[in-house]
Amino acid sequence: MHISAAIIILIYIPLSIPVKLFVWAVVKPLRKEDLRGKVVLITGASSGIGEELAYQYAKKGACLSLVARRKQALEGVAAAARERGSPDVLVVPADVSDPEQSRRAVEETVSHFGILNHLVANAGTWSICFFDEVTNITAFTKMMDVNFWGSVYPTYYALPHLKASKGKLVVSSSIAATAPASRLSLYNATKAAQLRFYETLRSELGSEVGITILTAGFVESEMTKGKAIQRDGEVAVDEEARDAQIGVFPVARVEKLCEAALNGIRRGDWYVTWPSMYRPVPLIACLAPEILTWQSYAMYNAKKGSPPLSQRMLDATGAKRFYPPSLRRHPGIKAERTADREEDAASNV
């Protein structure tokens, strides 16, 4: 094992770097995929990264199948996508954490368009609290259901169609899959499971289906607006917890992430990490995991009654003024909890 590691470090890596740079700088830009008329199914398309990816695909002339639980929100995204150039948009209200609804979403898409070229597995949720502060542990299975199984189920049903079209899988993971940030233990675990599943799937599929994994840092979305699963298992908005978690770390504009993501997807990149400052994290996690652990403990752990260092740094620097405007209180988020329940009830009638 030590000999293999030495060969990789001393021989393979130095030889592969110029080859990879040539492929990245010369070959891939010349082979960018033309998305005109391609059929793209996006889960979690009603807001955040899923919504913006729909707009980016639309600008390139792709046909869209938009999947999420909130039909009204999806219809708004669909209208905006058509205005941006998508020739055909299908709205499919579905909860992808349910296998049958995932199957239906894929089948309706293929029935409508006759083909499937890209699946964007984007649906997700998170929580912000210390593990030992959770008061209803069984409620957190919903996060694994959405973040992991909500990607795996549609992938399972879409895979035969993607193989037939030599298509692509796009997965919205997170840099949290490799960074052990405090107060995100269960979220980190779901993203780590998701990341390793798709890395393994890549080794099983080879060139049959391309796989691009998005490992984003903090990006404006409903989650960074404060919407999360609370310690009691309920979904609510907690901006104070959000502020303490983000601290002085930059929050990227979702348009910038999705522009970078679509460029990577069209090039066939294995990973797209944005903001770019997070790119060294997997290497640090591999070579010096103690640094990430120490940093996380120092930033987020504090004596009871005292704010964590991340919050104190945020207050001292005034860095919150650099958050994107969308991260200010969004009155619609709390109301969505009621809307979600109403749409869920309607779908079960």
Side-chain angles (χ1 to χ4, degrees):
M1 188 67 180
H2 295 301
I3 295 175
S4 299
I7 291 173
I8 291 172
I9 293 171
L10 297 176
I11 299 176
Y12 173 75
I13 292 178
L15 291 176
S16 68
I17 287 175
V19 174
K20 289 180 177 179
L21 287 174
F22 176 77
V23 171
W24 182 81
V26 178
V27 177
K28 284 188 174 182
L30 296 176
R31 298 177 59 189
K32 274 190 176 181
E33 182 181 7
D34 184 355
L35 296 174
R36 286 176 295 181
K38 295 292 179 70
V39 176
V40 182
L41 189 161
I42 304 175
T43 69
S46 60
S47 66
I49 293 172
E51 176 183 359
E52 183 58 35
L53 275 175
Y55 300 152
Q56 296 294 332
Y57 271 107
K59 290 175 184 178
K60 299 299 181 183
C63 300
L64 302 174
S65 176
L66 305 180
V67 180
R69 290 186 304 161
R70 293 171 289 185
K71 183 178 180 181
Q72 186 174 355
L74 283 179
E75 289 174 344
V77 176
R82 293 186 188 100
E83 291 176 357
R84 286 165 170 79
S86 180
D88 192 5
V89 183
L90 176 69
V91 167
V92 185
D95 181 351
V96 291
S97 67
D98 179 282
E100 283 305 305
Q101 293 189 51
S102 290
R103 178 189 58 76
R104 176 176 57 80
V106 171
E107 289 182 354
E108 286 188 18
T109 300
V110 175
S111 176
H112 181 84
F113 293 105
I115 193 171
L116 179 61
N117 300 104
H118 287 198
L119 168 66
V120 180
N122 168 73
T125 186
W126 76 334
S127 64
I128 311 171
C129 65
F130 288 107
F131 179 70
D132 61 5
E133 293 178 351
V134 171
T135 59
N136 183 7
I137 188 61
T138 58
F140 282 80
T141 57
K142 72 178 73 172
M143 190 154 53
M144 181 63 83
D145 289 341
V146 174
N147 293 1
F148 179 72
W149 291 110
S151 297
V152 172
Y153 290 145
T155 295
Y156 177 78
Y157 293 109
L159 203 52
H161 306 289
L162 295 174
K163 285 182 178 180
S165 66
K166 299 291 286 185
K168 291 181 179 176
L169 270 166
V170 181
V171 187
S172 187
S173 186
S174 170
I175 200 65
T178 52
S182 293
R183 309 202 313 166
L184 297 176
S185 56
L186 293 169
Y187 174 74
N188 294 347
T190 65
K191 287 300 180 179
Q194 182 192 48
L195 177 67
R196 189 47 47 88
F197 171 79
Y198 284 98
E199 288 176 332
T200 304
L201 193 60
R202 183 188 284 137
S203 70
E204 294 181 1
L205 295 173
S207 61
E208 282 188 279
V209 176
I211 298 179
T212 297
I213 303 173
L214 312 182
T215 52
F218 291 119
V219 177
E220 58 178 335
S221 67
E222 285 190 347
M223 291 192 290
T224 50
K225 289 174 184 176
K227 185 178 181 181
I229 301 174
Q230 306 302 310
R231 65 194 65 184
D232 60 0
E234 290 295 316
V235 177
V237 174
D238 187 338
E239 289 187 348
E240 185 177 341
R242 183 276 312 271
D243 289 349
Q245 195 66 39
I246 294 176
V248 296
F249 290 106
V251 181
R253 298 300 300 264
V254 70
E255 294 91 348
K256 292 295 185 182
L257 165 67
C258 292
E259 286 171 6
L262 199 64
N263 280 330
I265 293 163
R266 294 177 65 203
R267 287 194 305 260
D269 292 352
W270 281 17
Y271 301 93
V272 175
T273 301
W274 193 264
S276 56
M277 65 170 285
Y278 292 102
R279 288 174 187 165
V281 169
L283 182 62
I284 297 171
C286 178
L287 300 179
E290 64 276 7
I291 290 178
L292 292 179
T293 300
W294 173 83
Q295 178 199 42
S296 181
Y297 186 88
M299 288 289 288
Y300 298 115
N301 292 63
K303 294 179 180 179
K304 287 189 176 182
S306 300
L309 177 59
S310 59
Q311 182 69 61
R312 298 201 302 272
M313 291 173 65
L314 181 66
D315 295 339
T317 60
K320 190 174 179 179
R321 68 182 183 275
F322 298 113
Y323 286 3
S326 65
L327 265 63
R328 297 169 188 160
R329 178 163 294 281
H330 190 292
I333 294 179
K334 285 189 176 181
E336 285 163 6
R337 292 179 60 197
T338 303
D340 289 348
R341 293 190 182 114
E342 289 175 351
E343 291 197 14
D344 287 346
S347 65
N348 292 327
V349 174

